Amino acid sequence: MTAPPTTMETARRGATTASPPATDRPRRQNAAHEAPAAARPTRQDSAHEASAAPRPTPQGTAHEALRTARPGEPQALAADALAVGVDDVPQVLERCRALVRPALEEAVGRLHPWVGEMAAYSFGWCEVGGAPAVASGGKGVRQALAVLGAEAAGAPERAGVAAAVAVELVHTFSLLHDDIMDGDGDRRGRPTAWKAYGTGPAVLAGDALFALAVETLAGEPGGAGAVRTLSVALGDLVRGQADDLLFADRPWTGPERVRPDEYRAMAEHKTGALLGCAAALGAVLGGAGPETVAALDRAGRHLGVAFQIVDDVLGIWGDPRVTGKPVHGDLREGKKTFPVLVALGSPMGGRIAGLLESGDAPETAATLIEEAGGRSAALAEARRHITAVETALADVPSAARAAGELRSLLGYLVRRDV
């Protein structure tokens, strides 16, 4: 397969804000943008959470999907190298949530009251009008990455709090705008902010969260470097979202079709950039050197690509009893996922494209995609990126405890729903 563009290289572009609604566009892959909410008054878990989570499979989990061998598929993925100590991860997440939550609430409390209400609604802290809400809460993965990134740099855990707050604010900003671009009316069982408050107000709330994230970092020692790191990630996030929107309108076949290497770059930007940024920001504020910061950013970016590709595999072959989604749902929605793009480049590509264009017989399309090597190639690609995560972490000269918790957290993300 074509190697990914040297990316995991950082593109030096600045951040941008939302696009107008595009409700007629197909639903995009939601790897980076599906997030649980948090409950402010009840002090439940913190804000919106990581995305691109591997979903359960007929074998049980995304981790097992990676490990389950079929002819020609990898039989032993590097997920095991990352999975040491994953049973301790809930305690790590709880520790980081308890550390970050008060600072996140304080930051949102500085917003204009109406805008702050919309932000609190987006975090799941309140209902429309400000009445307290009881939300399911999220695991706090991004904020944990920021705290552990600071600890990996040899700094105390509190050094990563501002980074964790900034990343949570930016993630929620991206969700507000993403829902508008997708035309999505529901998120986590509630109307999305633009449905509840209107498109203009939701855009305004997203812009306010973005500005608040920059303000949060700028006031910290080392804030200038942190703002630069965040700006690069935001530029990549916007680039990935733009590519993903454009992919929906490109043909299945011919010279204009989406290539697997384009997909890798999109997934790194849309899904991986903010994961890498979370860990890197904590390290920047913790006083880490550029090599450590770059290594943590690489680890998050590779993890994001693996997330998205595993999610793609499960979107076609996952068990709906555990994924909660219709069988072959991604094929029915016409999503240009990695297994599909690989299969379209095979001798069976023309027949597969015809089925996808017509929307007929998704079961037959799934079988042909697997026979064409789409499933095995996707799992091999996920394996390569998981291995790259471990390689990047090997370049982080951190204390044993911080290194162990960081590896455990990343292994947890590979194995479980987020």
Side-chain angles (χ1 to χ4, degrees):
M1 298 176 62
T2 310
T6 47
T7 82
M8 306 293 165
E9 70 201 334
T10 2
R12 303 291 171 189
R13 284 173 300 279
T16 186
T17 52
S19 297
T23 56
D24 56 337
R25 289 190 182 276
R27 175 83 167 103
R28 299 184 292 139
Q29 288 101 298
N30 285 328
H33 305 299
E34 289 299 329
R40 187 176 192 173
T42 57
R43 308 290 298 177
Q44 291 182 0
D45 298 348
S46 72
H48 297 287
E49 274 334 291
S51 38
R55 297 179 300 214
T57 67
Q59 291 78 29
T61 66
H63 179 68
E64 292 179 29
L66 290 169
R67 291 173 46 80
T68 302
R70 296 194 179 195
E73 289 182 359
Q75 297 195 21
L77 296 187
D80 282 338
L82 294 173
V84 178
V86 293
D87 291 341
D88 298 328
V89 167
Q91 290 73 34
V92 174
L93 293 172
E94 176 58 33
R95 171 174 72 87
C96 295
R97 284 195 302 267
L99 182 69
V100 173
R101 179 60 180 271
L104 182 61
E105 290 181 348
E106 188 277 330
V108 172
R110 298 199 302 270
L111 295 172
H112 180 285
W114 183 48
V115 176
E117 180 193 314
M118 288 187 282
Y121 177 86
S122 299
F123 281 114
W125 297 344
C126 74
E127 304 293 350
V128 175
V134 178
S136 60
K139 293 182 176 65
V141 169
R142 286 182 180 81
Q143 58 192 272
L145 284 173
V147 171
L148 294 177
E151 292 180 323
E157 60 181 12
R158 292 206 63 83
V161 169
V165 169
V167 169
E168 290 292 332
L169 294 171
V170 164
H171 180 54
T172 306
F173 143 74
S174 74
L175 294 175
L176 283 162
H177 288 185
D178 197 49
D179 286 338
I180 294 169
M181 288 185 285
D182 284 343
D184 286 343
D186 294 286
R187 178 175 290 281
R188 296 289 172 181
R190 297 201 307 168
T192 50
W194 74 272
K195 273 289 189 181
Y197 291 90
T199 301
V203 170
L204 180 65
D207 292 346
L209 291 177
F210 168 54
L212 186 59
V214 174
E215 176 192 333
T216 298
L217 293 178
E220 294 293 309
V227 170
R228 284 194 296 271
T229 300
L230 181 65
S231 295
V232 168
L234 283 169
D236 282 348
L237 175 61
V238 170
R239 180 180 181 181
Q241 289 175 324
D243 284 342
D244 199 17
L245 284 171
L246 291 170
F247 286 176
D249 296 328
R250 289 171 60 178
W252 293 105
T253 58
E256 297 302 314
R257 74 178 180 88
V258 180
R259 309 285 175 169
D261 59 339
E262 294 178 282
Y263 182 95
R264 292 186 193 97
M266 180 278 295
E268 183 215 327
H269 293 145
K270 192 183 84 166
T271 305
L274 203 53
L275 289 173
C277 177
L281 271 182
V284 169
L285 294 185
E291 296 82 4
T292 297
V293 171
L296 289 168
D297 182 71
R298 283 198 307 276
R301 286 170 179 261
H302 280 294
L303 181 68
V305 178
F307 262 6
Q308 182 65 75
I309 291 175
V310 170
D311 195 62
D312 290 349
V313 171
L314 300 177
I316 299 176
W317 295 284
D319 185 346
R321 292 171 298 178
V322 284
T323 64
K325 305 212 174 198
V327 66
H328 305 135
D330 282 0
L331 296 180
R332 295 177 192 279
E333 294 180 30
K335 293 182 179 178
K336 292 184 173 71
T337 60
F338 192 87
V340 171
L341 298 178
V342 170
L344 288 172
S346 76
M348 299 183 195
R351 186 178 173 195
I352 294 169
L355 290 172
L356 294 172
E357 287 171 353
S358 68
D360 296 333
E363 299 85 357
T364 302
T367 299
L368 291 177
I369 290 165
E370 185 161 10
E371 291 176 356
R375 184 179 191 274
S376 60
L379 293 178
E381 183 72 8
R383 176 191 182 186
R384 193 179 71 77
H385 286 282
I386 292 167
T387 302
V389 171
E390 180 66 19
T391 300
L393 291 179
D395 294 332
V396 178
S398 57
R401 175 174 170 269
E405 289 187 340
L406 192 56
R407 282 177 169 81
S408 295
L409 177 58
L410 295 174
Y412 175 91
L413 301 183
V414 170
R415 290 184 59 190
R416 301 177 63 176
D417 287 340
V418 184

